[in-house]
Amino acid sequence: VETEAPVVDPTGESSVAPAETTTLPRSGFKVMVANASGITGSAGQMSTALQSEQFIVTQPINADVTYGKQSVTVVFYVPGYETGATAVAEILGGVQIQPVATPAPVEGGSLGEAQVLIMLGTDLAGKLLPGALPAAPVDTTTTTVAPA
């Protein structure tokens, strides 16, 4: 009885590893922050925070009145910009991403030059970027001093 052993393609294995170590791009697309939280100034604060993380951010805007106040932040993207939306969602702490509707749920219905839209809910309004925290310097001297 002859049996064929399954062939494992080594190139298939090695192509998976780099994807986990590469950081998602923060350029090549523009981000718009729309205030869907009802907290005045929160979209501007979030825009500034994203700029400090090397994202290209357009002028903040308010969510369309029909969209209503949101408790959960969502990242929308123009088709073809899923990777950019994923990078933004990660820095926001892993929020949901989904394709944007037409017209966009912002005042005027247009994203202008932006390809990624953050509908800023009350969960992240006025807060620091959760995904940026691990990048903050951590004091490790206390753990390495133990051996005497």
Side-chain angles (χ1 to χ4, degrees):
V1 176
E2 289 183 27
T3 57
E4 289 186 24
V7 177
V8 177
D9 180 8
T11 57
E13 295 292 329
S14 62
S15 67
V16 175
E20 295 176 46
T21 57
T22 56
T23 53
L24 291 164
R26 295 188 179 186
S27 60
F29 60 93
K30 292 183 180 179
V31 181
M32 174 187 280
V33 182
N35 188 346
S37 70
I39 299 170
T40 305
S42 60
Q45 287 178 329
M46 181 60 72
S47 296
T48 302
L50 289 167
Q51 284 172 330
S52 70
E53 292 292 325
Q54 279 68 58
F55 286 99
I56 301 162
V57 185
T58 64
Q59 193 68 30
I61 196 168
N62 287 316
D64 189 82
V65 291
T66 59
Y67 192 73
K69 184 177 175 181
Q70 300 297 308
S71 59
V72 178
T73 299
V74 177
V75 175
F76 292 94
Y77 59 87
V78 172
Y81 290 91
E82 292 88 340
T83 305
T86 301
V88 172
E90 274 188 8
I91 199 104
L92 295 177
V95 301
Q96 183 184 12
I97 69 166
Q98 53 187 294
V100 71
T102 304
V106 297
E107 287 180 346
S110 171
L111 294 182
E113 297 181 353
Q115 293 87 21
V116 175
L117 169 66
I118 300 171
M119 293 305 286
L120 185 61
T122 55
D123 58 342
L124 293 177
K127 295 189 173 68
L128 297 172
L129 295 171
L133 297 178
V138 178
D139 184 7
T140 55
T141 55
T142 53
T143 55
T144 55
V145 179

